[in-house]
Amino acid sequence: LVTEENLPDYVGPPAFTTERIWDQTPVGVVMGLAWTAMGGSTLYVEASVVERGEGRGAITTTGSLGDVMKESALIAHACARDCLLQLDPENDFFQNSRIHVHVPAGATPKDGPSAGCTMITALLSLALGRSVLPDLAMTGEVTLTGRILPVGGIKEKVIAARRSGVKTILIPHENRKDVNELAEEVKEGLDIRFAETYKEILDIAFPNTTD
């Protein structure tokens, strides 16, 4: 009798496994979605304060990031500062905090613009002291003014999200057509939301923040 437990004895180990690290991401950590040569995968963006002091606001990045992704981090930092200023003009967190942003695994080269919204959300999670909505993942490039631009590899990213137990996915509005083309079994059980501006992502990732 073939069971779930002895199935690997017949067909070998799973070809794909979940990259999920946390059941609930802590403050400063957000799950993103990436496209690789092997298909879709999840990745985490981690943000941590390494130094506090008046006028110490800055950002450092690690994780074998390419030039485009490093630029995304700088844009994310600027957007997060602007967003926090609108939410709480008296909050000087970004002006006085040197922040380290890391994208595991450090030995794997990474590049591309699609982690922009994930980076902003990790930075705001740190600034607000709040974890994001449970079982949330996102993908999308962000402009300096907070517009969300379309990205590639949507099918592979959605499959990766399902594999990791994600329940809510945030995707650029311009990628709606790509989602509409997916088979229903790929989207089953997923709450896929679309965003044109970062404000829409903020309202979903951190419920009741702007009420």
Side-chain angles (χ1 to χ4, degrees):
L1 178 66
V2 177
T3 65
E4 183 177 349
E5 288 72 25
N6 67 18
L7 183 61
D9 296 335
Y10 294 92
V11 299
F16 297 98
T17 58
T18 177
E19 298 99 347
R20 189 158 185 160
I21 300 174
W22 291 279
D23 290 332
Q24 167 60 45
T25 51
V27 170
V29 179
V30 180
M31 184 190 290
L33 299 169
W35 181 90
T36 72
M38 297 294 291
S41 68
T42 57
L43 56 77
Y44 288 93
V45 173
E46 304 175 329
S48 178
V49 175
V50 294
E51 186 178 8
R52 288 277 290 172
E54 188 173 353
R56 297 293 179 89
I59 185 171
T60 301
T61 58
T62 56
S64 296
L65 308 186
D67 290 342
V68 174
M69 208 163 178
K70 288 177 182 177
E71 286 190 355
S72 290
L74 295 177
I75 293 170
H77 191 227
C79 287
R81 291 181 69 150
D82 180 64
C83 191
L84 185 63
L85 183 64
Q86 294 180 47
L87 288 173
D88 183 4
E90 301 302 316
N91 192 324
D92 61 0
F93 176 83
F94 287 117
Q95 290 92 319
N96 299 326
S97 302
R98 188 161 69 88
I99 301 169
H100 186 157
V101 172
H102 180 64
V103 184
T108 304
K110 310 167 192 73
D111 207 3
S114 65
C117 62
T118 312
M119 289 179 171
I120 297 177
T121 308
L123 291 168
L124 285 174
S125 171
L126 196 62
L128 297 170
R130 292 185 56 183
S131 297
V132 296
L133 185 75
D135 302 316
L136 173 73
M138 61 186 70
T139 184
E141 179 178 358
V142 183
T143 71
L144 191 58
T145 54
R147 301 291 298 183
I148 308 299
L149 302 183
V151 294
I154 293 298
K155 177 181 179 180
E156 292 82 1
K157 291 175 179 179
V158 171
I159 292 172
R162 285 201 63 183
R163 192 167 63 236
S164 290
V166 168
K167 292 185 173 62
T168 305
I169 307 177
L170 293 172
I171 290 175
H173 177 78
E174 289 297 317
N175 286 117
R176 183 184 290 271
K177 62 184 183 302
D178 301 301
V179 173
N180 290 340
E181 293 173 356
L182 298 179
E184 288 304 316
E185 56 265 27
V186 173
K187 298 181 285 185
E188 185 179 0
L190 293 172
D191 180 13
I192 300 178
R193 311 279 191 94
F194 300 94
E196 291 185 275
T197 67
Y198 186 76
K199 170 65 166 55
E200 296 169 69
I201 292 178
L202 177 73
D203 291 339
I204 297 170
F206 304 103
N208 306 316
T209 296
T210 58
D211 288 351

